């Protein structure tokens, strides 16, 4: 048996699963310390007839770190050292960040000698004295989080590793994030992600401790995993070091969960929460990825993120102008205090669903005298908002199957324009947690190969072998491993025969 | 041109607009102007004044030099430049030629080279001429109006991040300069700054494509305004570029190969809306070269074939092509200087190895911009 948990900003959801079967589910409030919310969920899931020792693995998905960046909280002052000189001066580190986020991490940005050319030559040798001077400056400024970013480090990581040793020797307390372990080629985006990662280090430590404590207090000794952006798992130790790898795991888990619950691998997924609705596309059981750079809290990164459209419609969205306008403002998690059906005095989208008899919630009498025109107009507005988002993501005019999940799915009733069928799977409230529970492990290779000494086929073969070995290392059962991505990227405008190959494989635990 | 003796100054708004417009004029290649935009913004932060003067304001006896960056976009987004490489090359060139530059001029308005001269203006104080030698992006150096219309490409200079300089006093053809300079660029780490050709104001006015910085800026302005006001950015793009939508569809397959340092390949699209039931095939070599609807060629070089996102008009470069993207394929008529018999020998379909003749798209390059300018 395994447990999937989704720690959101408002709720902590959990499911207990055996094979493909959902044995139990629970939804509790997220606690400030994370631990007690998870404990509540675990308690509820285990009940009386499941023993802690029956649990083989616990998978947690969390939006904790994304929210921290978006809300500019729990981030610590962070040094950024870019190994690049004499290159790199034209755009300093974190230059394109929003001012308020720059203020939080502080101005501790340094350029230093080092880094490599595309073919592995040094741009300049690493200068240990220069780095020691920077280390002392950071220590004097009380900065204990550090991002080290070397030019072409994803291809040649050596300078980042040596620089890291130099900094650690000067200040054993410093928490260091190395860019080659976090992102791909494209320096500014990778640097941004690395700096955010370093800045999240104390929060990551506290959060993982919270996760582990909750398990320990419930006597669960199972392996603890955390889901990452692509819907696959990493160990809790790894997640503690790389919190940025969870940035888009929320929508990914919900879409993977939706695929699992319906058995559909190609469909549109509509995840309706309290304030927003995310619409994304499932292709082959995985979210379709966005092809453009993705902003997290106003910072450009080059993570692969699901291609999502977010609209300001949720269960708590305020209804105005006789139902002509709904959202984007919302009562959010206060729905049970502020919406009409629950005794409040705000008319929300949920009240429309209650008044329409789509759902039994609160006190229907309190919305009974809503004008018929407002109610029917609001129904139309809700429907149109969702149908427009679906239409924007469609790749053909043919109707597509649609899966509706999330706490606000009561807002979808009956047919939807552009949908061939509308699925509201059982357990749609906890699709996120199910997505976490069914997550697989992965192995990835992203490397530049020189075709002067090997053929293209041999290079691809080498990359595949390496990815396969990494997937097994991550704990995958060998006969479940499959290739989910294989991409060849030539390096244009250079006549040298080099090619970048990216391979990702996944497998089941 | 209707503008004369005009000067405008690059400000924060203008550089945002130029970056968007230059991406679209890059026709799939030319590199992403994002890093270049940040470089310009940083110069502006530090108080730089970057004047852009119209082509006809340049006097015949003035000296103008084209500057920009050379190398692989994959390298330049990873190895951020030192910044002043092209000016270092320029100073070496001036010393060799015994002439001082009065003006900088963009080589290529499409992609990242639209912004490099602006940065160099900030470093050197020299004004930038509102013109370039391509009106778009092309994969090789000789595919420029300077060379096509007889401006010698040498002496030429390139410089790297160490401020090492390679000087090419003379090469027989621009194609050879391309070959040698690119070989040195690889040894210099895959990206360099260049300065060439050095020419008189008269030569520049005879050969350059006028108004292209303004065109990039105007395309960016209307597209960004449309995004903000939730009107159609693709329609906005057409209104100033003089272009038309050739096809709307989704990308169904992308095939890439690597030949002599160029990303070559084919993109297949499946029609949507009015084009439903039809397929489009686009062949590219860094930039998009030919668009075929079924067997029929509907657009080819030197006309511009730009693939943009249907919702945002964000350019889809050959590096981010992906299955499932919904795009509009926009055809923009090439500038007249690229449509002459002489030019077509260098930038027409046969120059790229195709065995058909160029059939020009109707309309005029930047037609909407010219109309708008005369209105204002």
């Amino acid at each position: 048996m395994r447990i999937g948990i989704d720690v959101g900003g408002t709720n902590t959801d959990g499911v207990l699963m055996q094979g493909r079967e959902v044995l139990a589910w629970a939804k509790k409030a997220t606690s400030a310390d994370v631990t007690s919310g998870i404990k509540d969920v675990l308690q509820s899931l285990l009940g009386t007839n499941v023993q802690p020792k029956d649990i083989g693995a616990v998978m947690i998905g969390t939006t904790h770190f994304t929210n921290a960046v978006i809300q500019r909280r729990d981030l610590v002052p962070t040094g950024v050292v870019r190994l690049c000189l004499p290159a790199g001066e034209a755009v300093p580190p974190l230059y394109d960040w929003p001012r308020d986020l720059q203020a939080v991490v502080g101005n501790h940005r340094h350029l230093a000698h080092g880094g490599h050319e595309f073919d592995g030559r040094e741009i300049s040798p690493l200068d240990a004295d220069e780095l020691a001077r920077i280390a002392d400056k950071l220590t004097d400024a009380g900065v204990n989080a550090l991002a080290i970013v070397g030019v072409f480090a994803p291809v040649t990581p050596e300078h980042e590793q040596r620089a890291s040793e130099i900094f650690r020797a000067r200040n054993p307390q410093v928490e260091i994030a190395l860019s080659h372990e976090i992102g791909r080629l494209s320096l500014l985006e990778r640097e941004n992600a690395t700096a955010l990662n370093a800045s999240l280090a104390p929060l990551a430590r506290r959060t993982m401790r919270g996760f582990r404590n909750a398990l320990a207090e419930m006597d669960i000794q199972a392996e603890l995993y955390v889901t990452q952006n692509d819907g696959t798992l990493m160990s809790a130790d790894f997640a503690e070091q790389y919190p940025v790898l969870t940035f888009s795991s929320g929508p990914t888990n919900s879409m993977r969960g939706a695929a699992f619950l319906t058995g559909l691998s190609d469909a549109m997924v509509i995840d309706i929460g309290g304030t927003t609705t995310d619409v994304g596309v499932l292709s082959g059981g995985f979210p379709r990825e966005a092809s453009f750079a993705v902003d997290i809290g106003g910072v450009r990164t080059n993570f692969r993120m699901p291609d999502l459209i977010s609209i300001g419609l949720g269960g708590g969205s305020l209804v105005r102008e006789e139902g002509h306008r709904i959202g984007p403002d919302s009562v959010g998690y206060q729905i049970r205090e502020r919406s009409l059906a629950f005794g409040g005095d705000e008319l929300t989208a949920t009240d429309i669903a209650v008044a329409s008899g789509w759902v039994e919630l609160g006190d229907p009498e309190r919305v009974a005298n809503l004008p018929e025109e407002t109610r029917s107009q609001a129904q139309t507005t809700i429907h149109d908002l969702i149908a427009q988002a679906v239409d924007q993501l469609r790749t053909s005019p043919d109707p597509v199957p649609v899966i509706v999940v999330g706490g606000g799915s009561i807002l979808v009733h009956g047919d939807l324009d552009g949908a061939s069928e509308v699925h509201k799977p059982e357990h749609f409230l906890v699709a996120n947690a199910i997505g976490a529970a069914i997550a697989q492990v992965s192995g990835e290779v992203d490397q530049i190969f020189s075709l002067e000494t090997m053929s293209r086929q041999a290079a691809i073969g080498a990359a595949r072998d390496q990815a396969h070995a990494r997937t097994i290392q991550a704990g995958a059962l060998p006969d479940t491993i499959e290739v989910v991505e294989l991409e060849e990227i030539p390096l244009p405008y250079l006549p040298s025969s080099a090619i970048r190959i990216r391979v990702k494989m996944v497998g089941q635990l | 041109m209707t503008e004369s003796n005009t000067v405008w100054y690059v400000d924060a708004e203008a550089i945002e607009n130029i970056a968007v417009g230059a991406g679209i004029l890059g026709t799939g290649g030319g590199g992403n102007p994002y890093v270049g935009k940040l470089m310009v913004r940083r110069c502006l932060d530090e108080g730089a004044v970057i004047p852009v003067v119209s082509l006809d304001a340049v006097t015949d006896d003035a000296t103008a030099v084209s500057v920009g960056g050379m190398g692989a976009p994959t390298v330049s987004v990873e190895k951020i430049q030192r910044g002043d490489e092209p000016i270092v090359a320029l100073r070496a060139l001036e010393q060799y030629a015994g002439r001082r530059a009065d003006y900088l001029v963009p080589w290529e308005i499409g992609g990242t080279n639209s912004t490099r001269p602006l940065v160099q203006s900030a470093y050197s104080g020299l004004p930038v001429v509102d013109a370039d030698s391509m009106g778009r992006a092309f994969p090789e150096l000789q595919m420029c109006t300077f060379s096509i219309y007889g401006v010698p490409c040498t002496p030429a200079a390139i410089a790297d991040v160490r401020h090492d300089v390679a000087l090419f006093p003379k090469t027989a053809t621009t194609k050879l300069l391309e070959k040698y300079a690119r070989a040195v660029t690889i040894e210099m780490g895959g990206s360099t700054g260049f300065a060439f050709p050095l020419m008189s104001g008269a030569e520049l006015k005879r050969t350059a494509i006028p108004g292209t910085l303004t065109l990039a800026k105007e395309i960016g302005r209307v597209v960004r305004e449309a995004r903000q006001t939730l009107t159609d950015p693709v329609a906005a793009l057409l209104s100033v570029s003089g272009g038309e939508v050739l096809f709307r569809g989704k990308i169904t397959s992308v095939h890439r190969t690597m030949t002599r340092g160029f990303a070559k390949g084919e993109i297949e699209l499946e029609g949507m809306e009015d084009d439903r039931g039809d397929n489009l095939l686009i062949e590219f070599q860094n930039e998009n070269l030919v668009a075929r609807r079924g067997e029929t060629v509907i657009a080819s070089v030197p006309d511009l074939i730009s693939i943009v996102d249907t919702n945002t008009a964000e350019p889809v470069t050959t590096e981010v092509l992906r299955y499932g993207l919904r795009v509009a394929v926009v055809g923009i008529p090439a500038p007249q200087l690229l449509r002459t018999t002489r030019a077509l020998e260098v930038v027409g379909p046969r120059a790229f190895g195709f065995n058909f003749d160029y059939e020009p798209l109707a309309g005029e390059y930047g037609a909407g911009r010219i109309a708008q300018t005369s209105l204002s």
Side-chain angles (χ1 to χ4, degrees):
Chain A
M1 277 182 275
R2 57 197 192 284
I3 287 176
I5 297 176
D6 175 66
V7 184
T10 314
N11 290 314
T12 299
D13 303 340
V15 290
L16 176 69
M17 292 186 71
Q18 181 156 38
R20 298 185 56 83
E21 197 185 345
V22 178
L23 301 177
W25 64 275
K27 195 182 242 325
K28 304 285 175 187
T30 297
S31 59
D33 69 345
V34 181
T35 313
S36 56
I38 296 178
K39 258 180 70 183
D40 289 349
V41 165
L42 291 172
Q43 234 148 15
S44 164
L45 290 177
L46 292 179
T48 48
N49 46 9
V50 181
Q51 298 303 313
K53 65 172 168 46
D54 299 333
I55 307 301
V58 177
M59 290 83 164
I60 299 183
T62 182
T63 51
H64 221 60
F65 304 115
T66 322
N67 293 341
V69 173
I70 292 169
Q71 296 162 12
R72 318 310 197 209
R73 62 171 168 79
D74 294 322
L75 300 168
V76 296
T78 300
V80 182
V81 176
R82 186 194 291 169
L83 307 172
C84 61
L85 291 176
E89 283 182 307
V91 183
L94 320 191
Y95 177 69
D96 203 20
W97 283 32
R99 295 274 174 260
D100 57 344
L101 192 57
Q102 279 188 357
V104 173
V105 300
N107 187 2
H108 311 286
R109 305 160 211 169
H110 300 271
L111 302 186
H113 288 83
H116 289 83
E117 305 284 7
F118 68 95
D119 54 7
R121 285 176 291 163
E122 288 181 341
I123 293 175
S124 55
L126 214 57
D127 181 341
D129 294 339
E130 182 185 25
L131 295 177
R133 280 195 301 275
I134 293 172
D136 292 346
K137 257 192 202 162
L138 292 174
T139 309
D140 291 347
V143 174
N144 277 319
L146 174 64
I148 300 177
V149 185
V151 176
F152 277 106
V155 184
T156 315
E158 189 195 316
H159 279 186
E160 285 190 357
Q161 288 157 343
R162 275 175 44 211
S164 160
E165 287 162 18
I166 292 167
F167 279 99
R168 211 179 294 283
R170 289 306 266 202
N171 176 4
Q173 267 82 53
V174 69
E175 311 238 21
I176 299 175
L178 303 182
S179 86
H180 75 272
E181 295 177 333
I182 287 173
R184 324 158 180 272
L185 291 177
S186 203
L187 185 114
L188 297 179
E189 290 83 357
R190 187 174 75 250
E191 183 171 76
N192 290 343
T194 311
L196 287 178
N197 197 81
S199 194
L200 284 164
L203 179 66
R205 208 170 341 99
R206 285 200 304 277
T207 307
M208 291 307 147
R209 195 191 303 138
F211 291 174
R212 290 194 192 93
N213 286 349
L215 263 59
E217 287 172 33
M218 296 301 296
D219 284 327
I220 296 176
Q221 276 156 26
E223 200 68 43
L224 174 62
Y225 294 96
V226 175
T227 60
Q228 52 184 332
N229 295 332
D230 60 7
T232 64
L233 297 169
M234 51 188 165
S235 72
D237 292 346
F238 194 83
E240 182 169 334
Q241 277 183 284
Y242 304 108
V244 292
L245 299 182
T246 65
F247 272 178
S248 74
S249 62
T252 302
N253 284 343
S254 122
M255 291 176 69
R256 298 265 302 142
F260 175 84
L261 288 170
T262 54
L264 294 171
S265 56
D266 297 280
M268 196 83 74
V269 179
I270 304 176
D271 185 351
I272 309 180
T275 304
T276 55
T277 295
D278 290 336
V279 185
V281 179
L282 268 176
S283 168
F286 283 88
R288 187 176 81 196
E289 288 172 335
S291 55
F292 301 114
V294 182
D295 275 16
I296 304 287
V299 174
R300 190 171 156 119
T301 69
N302 57 358
F303 291 126
R304 305 249 161 165
M305 300 283 187
D307 188 6
L308 290 180
I309 291 182
S310 271
I311 55 173
L313 172 70
S317 295
L318 296 175
V319 179
R320 294 219 189 78
E321 294 168 21
E322 281 86 45
H324 285 276
R325 197 155 66 87
I326 301 184
D329 38 0
S330 162
V331 298
Y333 65 94
Q334 294 175 312
I335 183 123
R336 283 176 182 278
E337 289 95 58
R338 292 178 59 195
S339 83
L340 274 184
F342 288 104
D345 48 16
E346 303 273 16
L347 180 62
T348 66
T350 296
D351 294 322
I352 301 299
V354 174
S356 308
W358 296 346
V359 63
E360 281 176 35
L361 264 181
D363 179 3
E365 283 305 308
R366 289 188 49 88
V367 289
N369 56 2
L370 194 65
E372 163 61 23
E373 273 180 22
T374 302
R375 187 172 61 80
S376 111
Q377 178 56 48
Q379 287 181 359
T380 309
T381 307
I382 290 170
H383 176 276
D384 290 354
L385 283 170
I386 295 172
Q388 277 165 24
V390 167
D391 190 57
Q392 276 186 55
L393 279 176
R394 270 193 314 174
T395 51
S396 87
D398 303 327
V400 285
V402 163
I403 309 168
V404 187
V405 296
S409 21
I410 50 168
L411 300 185
V412 177
H413 188 77
D415 293 338
L416 196 64
D417 282 352
S420 58
E421 48 201 295
V422 178
H423 297 262
K424 267 199 221 177
E426 204 189 347
H427 306 304
F428 63 82
L429 284 175
V430 288
N432 277 347
I434 290 171
I438 59 158
Q440 298 164 304
V441 289
S442 68
E444 199 174 336
V445 169
D446 183 353
Q447 205 180 315
I448 293 181
F449 291 86
S450 165
L451 298 186
E452 270 159 28
T453 51
M454 70 200 316
S455 72
R456 190 179 135 267
Q457 277 312 322
I460 292 173
R464 286 178 70 124
D465 289 349
Q466 213 177 339
H468 194 266
R470 287 184 185 172
T471 315
I472 288 183
Q473 210 181 352
L477 298 169
D479 55 354
T480 63
I481 294 178
E482 55 180 331
V483 179
V484 286
E485 272 175 48
L486 174 62
E487 204 179 356
E488 290 174 62
I489 307 146
L491 302 177
Y493 295 96
L494 290 178
S496 76
S497 50
I499 189 167
R500 183 169 148 204
I501 301 175
R502 260 172 39 79
V503 187
K504 191 166 93 186
M505 295 186 178
V506 298
Q508 274 152 23
L509 279 172
Chain B
M1 284 290 104
T2 49
E3 312 100 304
S4 66
N5 296 317
T6 52
V7 181
W8 52 273
Y9 296 88
V10 177
D11 58 17
E13 189 62 24
I15 187 58
E16 291 296 326
N17 293 337
I18 290 169
V20 171
I24 292 167
L25 293 173
T27 63
N32 186 332
Y34 174 70
V35 177
K37 175 182 88 176
L38 296 188
M39 287 166 69
V40 175
R41 234 168 67 189
R42 179 158 188 247
C43 294
L44 294 172
D45 283 354
E46 292 178 354
V49 174
I50 304 173
V52 178
V53 300
S54 66
L55 181 60
D56 52 14
V58 176
T59 54
D60 285 356
D61 58 356
T63 298
V65 178
S66 180
V67 291
M70 189 169 191
T74 329
V75 172
S76 57
V77 297
E78 175 63 28
K79 190 172 75 171
I80 301 297
Q81 281 109 20
R82 183 168 181 171
D84 59 357
E85 293 91 333
I87 283 298
V88 169
L90 175 73
R91 294 307 178 211
L93 188 69
E94 287 174 328
Q95 202 182 358
Y96 176 81
R99 279 160 78 183
R100 296 286 286 186
D102 302 306
Y103 294 100
L104 303 176
V105 58
W107 177 270
E108 177 181 46
I109 196 65
T112 190
N113 264 332
S114 57
T115 56
R116 293 303 295 276
L118 306 177
V119 177
Q120 304 315 307
S121 168
Y123 283 130
S124 65
L126 293 171
V128 180
V129 181
D130 189 357
D132 79 314
S133 74
M134 293 183 173
R136 47 169 293 158
F138 274 125
E140 295 184 48
L141 287 181
Q142 74 275 8
M143 298 171 174
C144 74
T145 52
F146 301 146
S147 294
I148 290 167
Y149 297 107
V151 178
C153 62
T154 48
I158 62 175
D160 68 11
V161 295
R162 289 169 201 82
H163 286 177
D164 287 343
V165 177
L167 191 70
F168 302 85
K170 184 172 180 311
T171 61
T173 63
T174 311
K175 200 162 182 164
L176 280 172
L177 175 64
E178 153 85 29
K179 197 172 164 182
Y180 304 148
R182 216 164 271 280
V184 177
T185 292
I186 289 168
E187 291 308 315
M188 285 179 156
S191 77
T192 51
F194 71 73
F196 61 79
L198 180 146
M199 61 198 137
S200 69
E203 281 176 308
L204 177 71
K205 286 189 283 185
R206 182 171 62 77
T207 59
I209 299 162
T212 49
L213 266 173
T214 299
L215 177 61
K217 180 171 67 112
E218 284 301 296
I219 290 175
R221 184 179 64 79
V222 296
V223 165
R224 290 179 66 228
E225 275 175 13
R227 287 178 194 164
Q228 276 151 20
T229 56
L230 302 179
T231 51
D232 183 359
V234 177
L237 159 62
L238 303 181
S239 74
V240 292
S241 63
E244 58 182 299
V245 171
L246 301 172
F247 195 80
R248 284 180 199 269
K250 75 161 178 171
I251 296 175
T252 52
S253 117
V254 179
H255 182 71
R256 273 186 269 239
T257 57
M258 188 68 185
T259 318
R260 289 186 307 109
F262 296 112
K264 284 193 178 186
E266 292 177 354
I267 310 153
E268 283 173 46
L269 298 105
E270 195 179 283
M272 297 179 331
E273 298 170 34
D274 293 348
D275 296 306
R276 199 174 169 200
D278 269 9
N279 290 304
L280 193 78
L281 183 79
I282 294 176
E283 291 176 66
F284 63 86
Q285 176 181 326
N286 297 353
E287 286 81 28
N288 302 321
L289 302 179
V290 172
R292 283 191 175 88
R293 188 191 280 266
E295 296 296 303
T296 318
V297 173
I298 58 166
S300 81
V301 275
D303 287 339
L304 289 71
I305 302 167
S306 207
I307 306 177
V308 299
D309 184 281
T310 37
N311 294 319
T312 61
E314 185 76 24
V316 177
T317 64
T318 50
E319 286 142 45
V320 302
L321 286 169
R322 218 168 247 289
Y323 175 87
L325 279 182
R326 298 189 348 151
V327 297
V329 179
V330 174
I332 300 172
Q336 284 307 325
L337 281 170
L338 294 180
R339 289 179 152 192
T340 63
T341 312
R342 197 164 163 183
L344 291 175
E345 284 169 15
V346 185
V347 296
R350 291 188 189 276
F352 287 90
F354 297 102
N355 61 355
F356 56 85
D357 290 316
Y358 171 58
E359 289 283 345
L361 287 174
E364 191 186 342
Y365 178 78
R369 173 190 61 86
I370 292 163
Q372 287 211 341
T373 310
S374 53
L375 279 175
S376 61

